Amino acid sequence: MKPPFLTIFIKEMRETLREKRTVGLLVLVTLMYPLMIGVLMHQLIERSTRSEREGIELAVIGAAKAPTLMSQLKQKNITVLDTAPMDEEAIGALLQKGKVAGVLRLSDKFTDNYTAMRPARIELWYDSAAEKGSQRRDIEEVLDAYGANVASARLLAHGVSPATLAPIEVQRYDTGTTASRSAGLIGSMLSMLFFPAFFCGMSAAVDSTAGERERRSMEVLMAQPARAWEIVAGKWLMAGALAIVGLTLELILAHAVLTWLPLEELGMSWSLTWLDVATICIVALPLALLAAALQIALAMNAKSFKEAQSLLSIALFIPMLPGVVVSMMELKTSVWMYAVPMLSNQTLLREISKGVEVGTLPFLLTFVSAALPALAVVAFAGWRMKSERYVLAV
C-alpha cells in the first residue's frame, strides 16, 4: 500500500500535468533564458569578429598626400577608398549610409606642413551612433602608430634617440585566465538560471492550496485518512518536482549552449564539464524544494486564489535581493555567502566557472543552507494544516 503522501503527490501531479497552461509555463521558463543567453552571446561574437570577417572600409579624401599612411592602413586589413573632396554635409550623408567605418580627410596644407615638420592635420569623421566602434578604434590605432613612427624618424634625423621620449618602460603581465575573465560576464548572466526554482512550481503550488480551497476540494482531501503533514508533503513534493525538473533542464541547456558557442573569439572560455553541471544540479535540489515549501506555506495563508498569486509574485523578488546587494557592494567571495540560499548557488556557479578549487565546504553549505529551511517551512505548514478553521478560512 502506498503511503498517503505519495498518493497525494501522484494525484496532484496528474492534475497539474493536465493543465496545458502550467506545462506551457514550465517549458517557456525552462527554455527562455538559456536561449536568450545563446542569442545575446552569439550577437556579441558576431559584432566582435565582424571586422576580421568583412574588413574595414575607410573613405579617404586626399589619399595621395600620405602614401605611407595608406600602406599602413592596408596592412591592417583596412580597405582605403580614394574619395573626391566633400563638404561636411556630404561626409555626414556618406556616414549615415553605414557603408564605411569613417572618413579620413587630409587638409589641403598637409604636404606643406608635413615637409616643414609642423603638425599636419588629419580629420577623422565617424558616426558614433553606428555600430562600428571597434572598427573606428582600429583606425585610430593605425593613426597613432603612424604618428609615433614619424616622430621617431624626425628625432633620428636630428640625432636624438626616440628612447628619449620614453623614460619609463611599462611591462604588463596579465595573470587572469580566460575562464576567470569570462566568469564576470557569463557568471552574472548565469546567476539568473536559478530563478526557475521559484517560477516552475509556483502555479501548481497556488492551485493545489488556495485553488483547492476555493473549489472546496480541500475539504474532501482533509476528510481522507491522511495526516496533515502527509497532505502538505504530497503537495510540496509535487511543486518541488516541477521546480527541480525546470531548474535541471535549464542548467543543462545553458551548459550545452555555452559549450557550443565559440567564446574564444571574445577571449573567454567555458570550462565547466558535464560532471560539474551534474554536481551543481544536485546541490541545487534543496533550493527548488525550499522554493516549493515557501510557495505552499504562503499560498495556504492567502484567503483567495488571486491573493495567493499576488503574494507569491511579490515574494519572488526576495531571492534576488542578496545577489543584487552583493554585486552592488562589490564584495569578495566569502564563506558566509554559501550559507545564504540562492546567493550560495550563484556564488558556487561563478567560482566553479572561474576554474577555482572551492573545496567541499561550499558544496556542503550550499546544500544545507536550503535543505534545513525547506524542512522547517514544511513542518510549519504541516502544523498549520492541522487547523481546519485556519486552512479553510471558516
Side-chain angles (χ1 to χ4, degrees), residues 4 102 209 291 335:
T209 51
V335 177

Side-chain angles (χ1 to χ4, degrees), residues 41-49 261-263 265-266:
M41 294 300 297
H42 179 71
Q43 291 297 324
L44 185 60
I45 293 172
E46 286 290 321
R47 291 181 182 180
S48 301
T49 59
L261 288 172
L263 296 177
E265 299 288 347
L266 299 176

Side-chain angles (χ1 to χ4, degrees), residues 71-85:
S71 177
Q72 291 184 11
L73 289 171
K74 293 177 182 178
Q75 291 176 1
K76 295 296 182 179
N77 196 26
I78 299 176
T79 302
V80 176
L81 304 177
D82 195 355
T83 308

Side-chain angles (χ1 to χ4, degrees), residues 213 216 218-219 221-224 228 383-394:
R213 184 171 59 189
R216 296 296 181 182
M218 182 71 77
E219 300 177 10
L221 184 60
M222 295 187 66
Q224 302 301 316
W383 175 72
R384 299 294 267 175
M385 178 69 81
K386 294 179 181 180
S387 173
E388 296 183 8
R389 185 178 184 86
Y390 174 79
V391 176
L392 301 180
V394 295

